[in-house]
Amino acid sequence: MVEEYLFPSSVGEALDCLEKYGGEARIIAGGTDLVLQLKRGGVEARALVDITRIPELRGIREEGDYIVVGAATTHTEVAESPLIQAKAKVLAMACKSIGSLQIRNVGTIGGNLVNAMPAADSAIALTALDAEVEVVSKEGSRWVPISRFHQGVGRCCVDATRELVRAVRFKPLCDNEGSAFKRLARRKALILPILNVGVVVGWEDGHFTRAAIAIGPVAPVPFRAKKAEDVLIGAPVSRESVEKAAWAAFEEARPRSSLLRGSAEYRKEMVQVLVRRALMEAAGI
Amino acid sequence: MPQVSFILNGEWVSVEVEPCETLAEVLRNKLGLTGTKIGCEEGECGACTVIVDGKAVTSCIYPAMKVEGARVETIEGLSKGGQLHPIQQAFIEHFAAQCGYCTPGFIMSAKALLDKNPHPSEEEIKEAIAGNLCRCTGYYQIIEAIKAAAEKL
């Protein structure tokens, strides 16, 4: 039973609220997942700590070598950001494909991460970008590589009773780098993906020098197709290299059959198709 | 019980809300504005769409506490002095409603779009209403109505 709904004005104050309720308070941002979990009884809380009015958690900025996105920045804000569109297109495309406009106007990038679903669109894009997630507690703050952030379906390294996510950061893409996001679903909005793929590639002198291929949901956490990435590195930027990498991704991905998403066989086939399409677009082939 | 004050269809209102009550519940049950419909009650159908500070949101999963100080628009705020809003009029003229349950949500999504983008392309219209489900019309008439409203506004 929720007894209190609090609006702290700083991260410190939010952490105080969590401490005061000794584990019985929950952070709420957009609430597009949490409100449902509260209604269905999957989550219980005595207090909700709303972080969307904390200025430092909002917005997108460049800081040194990084683009930093505040945890309470909405999917709409990320998708519409000229900076993200220019320097991390994969993330703009991913955020634009979440839920519906109404959900994107409210849901946040931090919430999408903490909910820790293996096919969360923003998490797939951030995995391809090798992003880091800043987790803060009273003891201090730490940057967690996205590859170590997720711990299982619905589980991440954030202790929700005493920690919160302040921001995510990643390096902007350079001129000789590209990215893309592909999503397969039965319709274009308000539906879980059958598969989603985010890729980032870089090249020099006609050869791939950087490759990151993230796929969801083919494992309990966002999946990096490392073998496919290895196939690309050093290979010429060509359709043939992309076909080989897509085949490698097909071989290493292990999707399961799901009534919601389709058969394992179909989804495995489609891994190849989506990875190929994403790589072609990212590399401008 | 906490008190929430906000601008509802142009006028300040103050209402007591439960800490985890949703905006749709408060609008319908405490303020008597039943034009906002509750369909799926999980943010998937868009029947409960209202506009908060210029943005369409699904009020059935939107905590009412969040609207403190905000500008909230519902379907009841659209007609002025007995005159239907051009979007409402266009929905009638283009037969964009059958059972009507989804209609207030569609109209609010359309209004949020046209307030921001007075001359949307068909693709932009489709994107703006992708979060609203209609099981009667097949969407064609709704898209035509929004196009027609855009021309009049």
Side-chain angles (χ1 to χ4, degrees):
Chain A
M1 186 64 191
V2 179
E3 295 160 17
E4 267 205 276
Y5 195 107
L6 307 160
F7 284 103
S9 56
S10 68
V11 169
E13 224 179 273
L15 294 170
D16 286 343
C17 295
L18 289 180
E19 185 176 67
K20 184 180 150 203
Y21 279 88
E24 293 186 280
R26 289 295 295 262
I27 297 286
I28 183 168
T32 51
D33 285 312
L34 184 62
V35 169
L36 297 184
Q37 291 159 356
L38 288 165
K39 278 188 186 188
R40 291 170 183 161
V43 171
E44 288 198 14
R46 273 179 59 215
L48 296 178
V49 182
D50 191 316
I51 57 168
T52 57
R53 294 188 187 175
I54 300 175
E56 67 172 298
L57 297 184
R58 304 291 304 241
I60 298 155
R61 54 194 181 272
E62 286 183 280
E63 252 177 46
D65 292 341
Y66 291 96
I67 292 175
V68 181
V69 182
T73 307
T74 66
H75 303 307
T76 296
E77 288 162 350
V78 175
E80 289 180 355
S81 156
L83 181 64
I84 302 289
Q85 286 170 0
K87 299 290 183 185
K89 190 174 154 213
V90 61
L91 182 60
M93 292 169 80
C95 286
K96 197 168 176 182
S97 68
I98 293 172
S100 64
L101 181 64
Q102 293 96 317
I103 299 295
R104 295 193 294 275
N105 281 342
V106 177
T108 66
I109 193 161
N112 205 217
L113 280 175
V114 171
N115 206 41
M117 289 299 148
D121 296 291
S122 67
I124 292 297
L126 290 167
T127 298
L129 286 163
D130 277 318
E132 296 170 283
V133 187
E134 189 185 23
V135 181
V136 286
S137 69
K138 292 229 148 191
E139 286 75 52
S141 110
R142 62 187 201 277
W143 286 99
V144 182
I146 189 109
S147 58
R148 292 215 297 271
F149 182 82
H150 296 83
Q151 297 181 332
V153 177
R155 287 188 297 118
C156 67
C157 70
V158 178
D159 177 351
T161 64
R162 47 179 284 278
E163 295 180 317
L164 62 85
V165 170
R166 178 149 65 192
V168 294
R169 73 176 182 188
F170 47 84
K171 300 229 167 96
L173 298 188
C174 310
D175 291 342
N176 60 337
E177 292 174 319
S179 67
F181 182 81
K182 295 287 167 192
R183 188 182 214 263
L184 178 69
R186 269 183 276 180
R187 50 192 171 105
K188 285 186 188 165
L190 283 174
I191 192 142
L192 295 172
I194 293 169
L195 281 172
N196 51 6
V197 171
V199 303
V200 173
V201 294
W203 54 86
E204 252 167 62
D205 301 326
H207 290 75
F208 285 110
T209 51
R210 175 183 180 183
I213 301 170
I215 310 173
V218 296
V221 299
F223 177 74
R224 277 283 291 267
K226 296 272 187 196
K227 287 178 185 157
E229 294 171 6
D230 288 344
V231 167
L232 277 188
I233 301 287
V237 177
S238 68
R239 185 175 174 109
E240 201 189 349
S241 305
V242 166
E243 299 272 6
K244 280 185 191 157
W247 177 255
F250 162 80
E251 288 198 308
E252 67 185 307
R254 297 274 177 275
R256 294 191 307 174
S257 286
S258 149
L259 285 176
L260 279 175
R261 303 186 198 269
S263 70
E265 294 79 3
Y266 171 69
R267 297 175 62 227
K268 198 168 159 64
E269 282 290 332
M270 291 310 289
V271 164
Q272 191 182 348
V273 175
L274 261 64
V275 167
R276 185 181 66 228
R277 287 181 188 165
L279 287 173
M280 300 283 277
E281 184 179 319
I285 297 171
Chain B
M1 223 187 285
Q3 188 94 6
V4 173
S5 302
F6 59 104
I7 304 168
L8 177 58
N9 297 327
E11 288 189 23
W12 278 97
V13 294
S14 227
V15 59
E16 283 191 342
V17 308
E18 303 279 353
C20 72
E21 218 167 355
T22 64
L23 179 56
E25 289 166 337
V26 169
L27 289 171
R28 289 177 56 86
N29 305 338
K30 295 197 165 150
L31 296 165
L33 298 184
T34 54
T36 298
K37 303 302 180 196
I38 294 179
C40 66
E41 221 175 336
E42 47 188 37
E44 299 272 332
C45 80
C48 66
T49 301
V50 301
I51 303 176
V52 176
D53 286 335
K55 292 200 161 67
V57 309
T58 39
S59 63
C60 75
I61 56 168
Y62 196 78
M65 292 293 293
K66 280 183 181 286
V67 300
E68 174 69 42
R71 201 162 38 84
V72 177
E73 298 167 70
T74 71
I75 189 74
E76 288 87 351
L78 260 58
S79 67
K80 293 276 182 285
Q83 280 287 100
L84 289 180
H85 186 278
I87 302 173
Q88 293 173 307
Q89 193 60 43
F91 266 62
I92 293 172
E93 286 166 10
H94 289 80
F95 304 99
Q98 284 186 34
C99 89
Y101 201 81
C102 70
T103 311
F106 267 98
I107 291 179
M108 296 317 287
S109 284
K111 179 161 195 296
L113 170 68
L114 297 181
D115 284 350
K116 204 171 115 187
N117 177 3
H119 304 291
S121 65
E122 180 160 325
E123 204 45 48
E124 287 169 329
I125 292 174
K126 285 182 178 171
E127 234 168 64
I129 61 170
N132 295 77
L133 298 185
C134 173
R135 300 290 76 185
C136 306
T137 63
Y139 302 102
Y140 178 77
Q141 295 92 331
I142 294 174
I143 294 164
E144 290 301 304
I146 297 172
K147 277 191 209 163
E151 276 169 31
K152 283 203 184 137
L153 279 167

